[in-house]
Structure formats: structure tokens, C-alpha cells
Amino acid sequence: MQDFDVCRVIGDELRLTQVIINFISNAVKFTPPGGAVTVTFRQMHKIDGKLHLMIRVRDTGKGIKSDFISRIFRPFEQEDASTAHHYGGSGLGMAIADNIVKLMQGEIIVESEEGKGTEFVVYVSLPIAEGDQTVPESWKDDRTADEGVDKKKEVEEFTLDGIRILLAEDNDVNAEIAMEIMEMEGALIERACDGLEAVRMFAESPINGYDAILMDIQMPNMNGWEAAVEIRKLTRADADIPIFAMSANAFVEDKRHSLEVGMNGHISKPVDYDEVRQRIGEALLDAPGR
Ligand code: ADP
């Protein structure tokens, strides 16, 4: 028994469900018949208007080798070559789960013993809903008020649903993760494998065929900065399309260089997709004609 009532919280139900389903389906997949899978939800404590939650998925399956545990959240990692053969899968589920939980400022703890079983525990804290509240105060839509639309709120409410993005990324793993996460939100993504291809794809696309470009900087053939310069030089009405650099180089000079070549901003890697959504939202809401 808990020492407080069950309370309603505000959070991204869809994503949290996706994480838990990934853990449960793995637990079922890696546990032979006769074994057990137990799922526990626990309200831990309430602090500063937030409810700290624990969600645990425990199985009595084959377990995970200790040397693999440190790699389990890396994209496309499976324990060994026979895993895909026996159990299928892509090794992407854990990387995505980890990304989602990190975006919620939560954490995942894994404990496993080979031959005995595995336990995944997710800790997240979510704002407690007041009364009938279903969205936090800051998300509330006051567009019925005569004051007009508050841009900050519009940006907060902005989603990538239906947004057409040209993603220039040479690294397959980074591209796959970026596409998976943004497509989950409804974004329509086309990928270029280097700067040259990005310029070509943009140049060959119909006017306003893309809403934004996400551009890795270090790419073969033509880097992201050079590609941005080429795109800005094109004599087409949408050559001012929002372009954001995505790079592990978070040095001030790199950020400044991104702006100097005409990009709209510089997003540091590892990419925070809330930031991507917000930056694209700001750029598109500033240019409503797009
Ligand atoms: P997939 O299940 O598609 O291979 P995941 O990223 O979800 O990809 O999992 C990566 C790997 O982690 C799995 O292939 C498996 O080797 C290991 N793993 C995940 N969950 C479990 C579990 N409950 N028991 C044993 N191994 C697991």
C-alpha cells in the first residue's frame, strides 16, 4: 500500500508506453516458456509538485552477458551474431528507449545475470496534474482570448507532424536514430548522405518542397557549411529555408561559423530532439508564408 493516493500526472504517454512495451517485448522474447515476466509500477515520492515514478520490467529469461550490458544502449547492438538469427530484431529499441527517457530527464538502470534473468528499471519524475488539468499551465492555449496568439506558447505546442525535413547526415546510425525519433512525431524526412547530395536534392525539389534542413557539418565530398553556402546561393524563392547545423563541435567558433555561412543556428550533438523541434518551430512560425 502506498502512503498517498494514486494521482494523475502530466507526461508523454505515447513515448513512455513505447519504452515500456520495448522492455516487455524483449523480456517475453528472451524468456523461454515456463519463465516469468513481471511488470511493476510504483509511485515513489512527491517532491516539488512532481511525482517520482518507478517502472520495472523483470524477467527470468536468458539474461545478458556482463560485457554486453555496457553496450546495450548503443544503436544496432545485439549480444552476438546469433541473436538476430534466433530472436530477430534490430538492436535499435534500447537506443531509442534510452533517448526517450533521457529527454524526459529520467534514467534507466539495467541489472542482469546470465541464465537467471534481467531487470530494466525506469525512473522518471512527472508534474502532478492539478484537478482536471491535462496540460501544464505553460502549455495552455489561450487563443480564444482577444490578446492574440502568444508566440512562445505556439513554439511550445509546435510538433514536427507533417514537417518535411531534408536531413544531411553521412553516418548511417545517426541518420537512422534521427529519422526514427522525428518520424515518430509525424515528420517526413528525406536523407542526403553528404553535402553535395543535400544541395542536389534541395535544388531538384519543388519550391517549398521542404520546410527545414538539418545539416551535419563533417561530411565527405562537401561539408555542411559549404552545402549551406551553395543552397543560399540558389536563385529560388525558398533558398532562405531554415537550415540548422548539427555537429559534435560545440565550440563557439563553430557556432559562429554556422551563422556566418547563413545557417539559422547550430544544434550540438548528441542531438536533443526537443531542441530540434523548438528551433524548427521558431523558424517556421517566424516565416508563416512558408
Ligand atoms: P532488439 O530486441 O530489436 O534486438 P533492443 O535494442 O531492444 O533490440 O535490444 C538489444 C539487445 O539487448 C537484444 O538483441 C538482446 O541481445 C539484449 N536484450 C534486451 N533485452 C533483453 C532481455 N530482457 N533479456 C536478454 N537480453 C536482452
Side-chain angles (χ1 to χ4, degrees):
M1 270 305 273
Q2 304 296 317
D3 58 353
F4 50 78
D5 296 332
V6 169
C7 63
R8 286 165 12 103
V9 290
I10 300 166
D12 194 331
E13 185 181 350
L14 190 74
R15 300 255 174 108
L16 203 49
T17 307
Q18 182 187 354
V19 170
I20 297 159
I21 286 179
N22 187 65
F23 291 149
I24 296 174
S25 55
N26 274 338
V28 171
K29 186 161 79 172
F30 294 107
T31 303
V37 174
T38 322
V39 183
T40 311
F41 289 81
R42 184 163 296 152
Q43 297 188 174
M44 308 281 281
H45 34 250
K46 292 177 183 175
I47 302 174
D48 295 337
K50 284 192 164 179
L51 180 68
H52 293 245
L53 285 170
M54 183 213 76
I55 304 149
R56 183 176 62 209
V57 179
R58 187 182 268 170
D59 68 59
T60 59
K62 76 187 214 30
I64 304 171
K65 289 195 183 104
S66 55
D67 64 334
F68 179 62
I69 293 188
S70 58
R71 292 184 285 129
I72 197 164
F73 294 116
R74 292 196 203 151
F76 301 114
E77 289 279 353
Q78 294 188 316
E79 195 166 284
D80 52 53
S82 67
T83 306
H85 181 69
H86 283 115
Y87 301 95
S90 61
L92 206 49
M94 287 295 167
I96 292 171
D98 187 47
N99 232 299
I100 292 173
V101 172
K102 278 199 182 121
L103 287 173
M104 293 177 178
Q105 271 111 42
E107 68 173 333
I108 301 175
I109 309 279
V110 194
E111 274 186 46
S112 186
E113 203 177 327
E114 235 192 313
K116 294 240 164 105
T118 304
E119 177 179 291
F120 285 94
V121 189
V122 181
Y123 293 98
V124 277
S125 46
L126 298 170
I128 297 166
E130 310 259 333
D132 290 339
Q133 190 188 8
T134 52
V135 292
E137 281 305 317
S138 61
W139 295 359
K140 276 208 178 136
D141 188 350
D142 64 355
R143 269 179 278 196
T144 49
D146 288 340
E147 304 145 20
V149 178
D150 177 342
K151 186 174 162 227
K152 191 163 167 268
K153 282 181 186 147
E154 265 199 293
V155 170
E156 279 166 0
E157 286 166 5
F158 182 82
T159 77
L160 296 178
D161 192 14
I163 301 296
R164 298 151 304 171
I165 296 173
L166 173 57
L167 171 73
E169 170 65 78
D170 62 315
N171 180 297
D172 289 345
V173 172
N174 289 347
E176 184 105 11
I177 293 180
M179 291 173 81
E180 179 93 26
I181 290 179
M182 291 189 285
E183 282 173 353
M184 254 166 16
E185 207 174 301
L188 307 164
I189 305 194
E190 286 178 21
R191 178 194 171 195
C193 294
D194 59 41
L196 208 55
E197 196 180 11
V199 176
R200 184 184 55 72
M201 285 172 69
F202 181 74
E204 289 173 0
S205 67
I207 304 287
N208 290 331
Y210 295 112
D211 297 305
I213 301 178
L214 293 176
M215 188 85 88
D216 183 26
I217 295 300
Q218 260 138 32
M219 290 186 287
N221 303 323
M222 182 185 278
N223 73 33
W225 288 320
E226 291 162 340
V229 170
E230 292 306 314
I231 288 171
R232 293 290 186 236
K233 274 201 269 186
L234 295 172
T235 52
R236 43 185 282 162
D238 59 352
D240 62 345
I241 183 169
I243 306 177
F244 292 98
M246 292 197 306
S247 153
N249 295 354
F251 300 119
V252 177
E253 313 89 80
D254 291 315
K255 293 193 172 185
R256 196 170 48 221
H257 194 56
S258 298
L259 299 177
E260 278 166 4
V261 300
M263 292 175 150
N264 296 59
H266 189 113
I267 295 166
S268 304
K269 284 182 176 176
V271 177
D272 171 350
Y273 287 92
D274 269 340
E275 185 184 357
V276 170
R277 180 187 311 112
Q278 210 177 350
R279 303 297 290 276
I280 292 180
E282 280 162 0
L284 295 182
L285 293 166
D286 269 346
R290 294 205 70 89

